[in-house]
Amino acid sequence: LTEMSHTSTMVNISWQPPLCEGSPAFDDYEVEITSDDTGFSDTQTTDSTTLHCVFDNLAPGTQYNFTVNAVIREFDRRGPPSKKLMLTTDAVPTNRTNAVKKRTSSSIIPIIIGIY
């Protein structure tokens, strides 16, 4: 389980298929995200050919835990979970809000002056 990228509200992870000699082929992956900080928990399901997953709308500056299970639908079985990946989303930069306000303010002023 590996981080591909992350921002303050999104995490993109990838993984390698499990080595399962002698086991039936699996159908899906269940990717679980949890946060001890917030109590958040969610699961996304991908097909067996998709080896990555994006979670968005996450809380900035929050630690999340990720695990992946291979699923065999026919037997309603899940393989053992992957090793846990722990990631923390970026904190929101404090100056970003100020920069947006400044641009908005300076954009409005020329329009108001042009009206008079």
Side-chain angles (χ1 to χ4, degrees):
L1 197 52
T2 305
E3 171 197 357
M4 293 176 64
S5 63
H6 77 271
T7 66
S8 60
T9 59
M10 179 277 304
V11 171
N12 185 359
I13 60 171
S14 66
W15 58 89
Q16 295 297 316
L19 301 173
C20 301
E21 292 183 31
S23 296
F26 56 91
D27 302 297
D28 299 316
Y29 291 107
E30 286 184 350
V31 187
E32 182 180 27
I33 178 175
T34 61
S35 173
D36 297 335
D37 294 349
T38 64
F40 176 78
S41 178
D42 191 21
T43 302
Q44 288 190 25
T45 302
T46 69
D47 63 52
S48 63
T49 61
T50 302
L51 300 175
H52 64 92
C53 186
V54 175
F55 287 92
D56 54 11
N57 298 313
L58 302 177
T62 303
Q63 180 176 313
Y64 291 95
N65 307 305
F66 300 88
T67 55
V68 177
N69 287 319
V71 177
I72 302 171
R73 276 187 255 136
E74 180 181 0
F75 302 111
D76 193 27
R77 291 182 40 203
R78 279 137 191 82
S82 65
K83 289 184 179 180
K84 186 188 315 184
L85 174 66
M86 295 187 304
L87 293 172
T88 301
T89 52
D90 295 338
V92 175
T94 55
N95 62 353
R96 185 173 189 195
T97 302
N98 293 337
V100 171
K101 285 180 183 175
K102 287 178 185 174
R103 273 186 271 150
T104 303
S105 297
S106 64
S107 298
I108 292 172
I109 292 172
I111 294 171
I112 292 172
I113 293 171
I115 293 173
Y116 288 104

